[in-house]
Amino acid sequence: MNKVLENIKGKLIVSCQALEDEPLHSSFIMGRMAYAAFVGGAGGIRANTVADIKEIKSNVSLPIIGIIKKVYGNCNVYITPTMKEFEELVAEGVDIIAIDATKRERPDKKSLKDFVEEIKEKYPNQMIMADVSSDEEARYAEEIGFDIVGTTLVGYTDYTKGNDPLTELEKVIKSVKIPIIAEGNMDTPAKARKALDLGAYAVVVGGAITRPQQITKKFVDEINK
């Protein structure tokens, strides 16, 4: 088995991301956030942008799932959407690169199949992860050559809004044979545990650990009820 996959099996991967409009937007802060996750026992990190990844690497030596969020016009596909972002991550030396693998149209109008074929041709040893929102997309991702599937976008596409992440995860687990990483609204320790019990290979938790403004809002909303 691939060593990176071996190292994340059954582990918690912490997503350390802060977008430009968020209070913690800073590569330095994401580096310290990753270190805090490491001290807490995380087995991997998911991170956005080359700058953040560089800083995170200087703090921890955990496996990294790398992405670049890039919005092109009004296109809904923004997780590593084109070869440009993909190649920036390859140049940085990221263990696993995740890309939007939903059925939505990509900004460059390239089909997902063509994109993956181009990746495989240029970078045959690069591990790629499909961020999907449904079991149908997971099956297709496996068919066209992805190494890993993540349930990252369940509830974030028009056609999966309101879907329960654990229910969808279970469907994906029954649909494909490649490793499945549970991600997307895994916002309690109980949900993370349940995801692994269902058969997820690993579990990614983000906002519930690394986005204090979201965590604060949950408390405030409950207090104000």
Side-chain angles (χ1 to χ4, degrees):
M1 186 192 284
N2 177 292
K3 190 141 180 56
V4 172
L5 283 177
E6 219 172 275
N7 288 340
I8 61 170
K9 186 169 171 57
K11 300 278 180 68
L12 171 69
I13 297 162
V14 176
S15 183
C16 298
Q17 297 181 47
L19 301 177
E20 282 179 29
D21 60 346
E22 293 182 42
L24 299 190
H25 178 67
S26 152
S27 295
F28 172 77
I29 292 172
M30 289 304 105
R32 302 314 289 167
M33 197 70 90
Y35 183 66
F38 165 71
V39 171
I45 302 292
R46 179 166 163 128
N48 171 38
T49 77
V50 168
D52 282 11
I53 290 165
K54 276 185 195 298
E55 183 63 27
I56 286 165
K57 280 181 175 179
S58 73
N59 282 267
V60 299
S61 56
L62 295 172
I64 293 176
I65 298 171
I67 63 170
I68 291 176
K69 287 182 174 173
K70 173 76 174 170
V71 177
Y72 286 90
N74 57 4
C75 182
N76 289 320
V77 171
Y78 60 85
I79 296 174
T80 323
T82 74
M83 187 55 89
K84 180 182 181 295
E85 292 79 36
F86 191 90
E87 290 186 323
E88 286 173 22
L89 292 165
V90 171
E92 177 49 34
V94 178
D95 300 295
I96 298 163
I97 297 175
I99 66 177
D100 183 310
T102 62
K103 58 189 179 187
R104 299 175 297 182
E105 186 174 73
R106 312 189 71 78
D108 55 8
K109 308 288 191 279
K110 193 177 285 183
S111 76
L112 184 62
K113 188 171 188 286
D114 287 348
F115 189 24
V116 171
E117 279 175 4
E118 190 181 345
I119 286 167
K120 292 285 179 186
E121 194 179 312
K122 286 185 175 177
Y123 309 105
N125 300 318
Q126 177 63 57
M127 288 186 73
I128 53 172
M129 171 169 156
D131 283 348
V132 304
S133 69
S134 69
D135 55 324
E136 177 200 343
E137 288 167 351
R139 284 193 299 274
Y140 185 63
E142 180 178 46
E143 187 188 308
I144 62 175
F146 278 93
D147 304 291
I148 304 164
V149 162
T151 53
T152 319
L153 294 168
V154 170
Y156 293 100
T157 54
D158 291 343
Y159 45 91
T160 63
K161 271 201 174 79
N163 289 8
D164 175 64
L166 287 168
T167 305
E168 295 306 311
L169 173 68
E170 202 165 2
K171 286 186 200 165
V172 170
I173 286 165
K174 288 174 179 166
S175 295
V176 302
K177 293 183 174 65
I178 55 176
I180 294 139
I181 293 180
E183 184 175 359
N185 294 307
M186 297 292 148
D187 53 3
T188 67
K191 283 185 189 173
R193 177 68 262 169
K194 176 74 172 164
L196 291 171
D197 289 344
L198 286 171
Y201 193 86
V203 59
V204 173
V205 177
I209 296 173
T210 58
R211 282 189 156 119
Q213 75 279 12
Q214 283 183 15
I215 301 162
T216 305
K217 191 174 184 305
K218 273 191 176 178
F219 278 89
V220 171
D221 289 348
E222 190 61 36
I223 286 166
N224 290 340
K225 269 183 184 175

